Amino acid sequence: VAALVVAATQTLLDLENRLNALDAKVGDGDTGSTFAQGAREIARLLDQKQLPLNDVSQLLLLVGERLATVMGGSSGVLMSIFFTAAGQKMHDGKSLPDALLCGLAQMKQYGGADLGDRTLIDALQPALEALQKGDIQAAAQAAKKGADATTSMQKAGAGRSSYVNKENLDGVTDPGAVAVAEVFSAMVNVKR
């Protein structure tokens, strides 16, 4: 579990400038910094041995609570909803993939975005559906395919990108979707 947390947080820290550059084209240029803020906090807690690594439901709940506090804007709120709802569902006995899909459903309900709206959901939903079938490799491939698909989406249905004209969106991958795809890709390489 610690190795997966390290893979996710380090990936988001390494992506900060790339995501900000993508977001500068389609949003307000801070996606990388926002995700990095969250990643830094979770990495700090891991370093200080303050993460409940032996209880994934508690881990998800704590991540949700911390992201609400340290990540700015709607991203922080939505990621908090995602992790908190997933943690609650795991606590209630759901498997991790099922719990994460419940978290996604909550995030979609509160955030208003769905598949095809040119957000991180375009990478996250196919990845979680593949993970539900039990394969992290397939999840990473589905996330990458979903992220790549955002480059040709002409209209954003949610987020800052929804205010950007389609000429500026064309050929630019959604930064949130890139973040999701890269995190799943990094997790594939973690030795279990």
Side-chain angles (χ1 to χ4, degrees), residues 14 18 33 40 49 61 88 90 138 150 164:
D14 293 345
R18 180 176 157 206
S33 299
R40 258 189 289 283
K49 309 230 181 304
L61 289 167
Q88 288 167 342
M90 265 202 91
T150 65
V164 177

Side-chain angles (χ1 to χ4, degrees), residues 123-147:
L124 186 58
Q125 184 168 324
L128 294 180
E129 287 170 352
L131 191 63
Q132 196 178 31
K133 296 178 183 111
D135 187 351
I136 187 79
Q137 183 79 47
Q141 290 166 343
K144 170 107 175 69
K145 187 176 172 193

Side-chain angles (χ1 to χ4, degrees), residues 50-184:
Q50 293 180 345
L51 293 180
L53 298 174
N54 59 346
D55 184 341
V56 177
S57 86
Q58 287 302 312
L59 175 62
L60 294 171
L61 289 167
L62 179 63
V63 168
E65 185 267 317
R66 293 311 305 147
L67 295 184
T69 306
V70 301
M71 275 177 81
S74 57
S75 296
V77 173
L78 292 171
M79 294 313 294
S80 174
I81 289 168
F82 171 70
F83 283 106
T84 302
Q88 288 167 342
K89 292 297 181 183
M90 265 202 91
H91 180 75
D92 295 343
K94 287 208 179 281
S95 68
L96 179 60
D98 289 349
L100 292 171
L101 279 165
C102 289
L104 174 63
Q106 287 287 88
M107 183 170 68
K108 286 163 66 170
Q109 180 184 338
Y110 287 101
D114 205 341
L115 211 53
D117 281 337
R118 202 179 202 295
T119 69
L120 62 79
I121 291 170
D122 291 300
L124 186 58
Q125 184 168 324
L128 294 180
E129 287 170 352
L131 191 63
Q132 196 178 31
K133 296 178 183 111
D135 187 351
I136 187 79
Q137 183 79 47
Q141 290 166 343
K144 170 107 175 69
K145 187 176 172 193
D148 290 348
T150 65
T151 60
S152 58
M153 291 179 186
Q154 297 291 305
K155 175 87 179 95
R160 285 295 154 94
S161 295
S162 62
Y163 303 105
V164 177
N165 65 39
K166 69 179 186 191
E167 291 76 27
N168 292 15
L169 295 176
D170 196 40
V172 181
T173 316
D174 178 75
V178 169
V180 169
E182 294 290 343
V183 165
F184 271 96

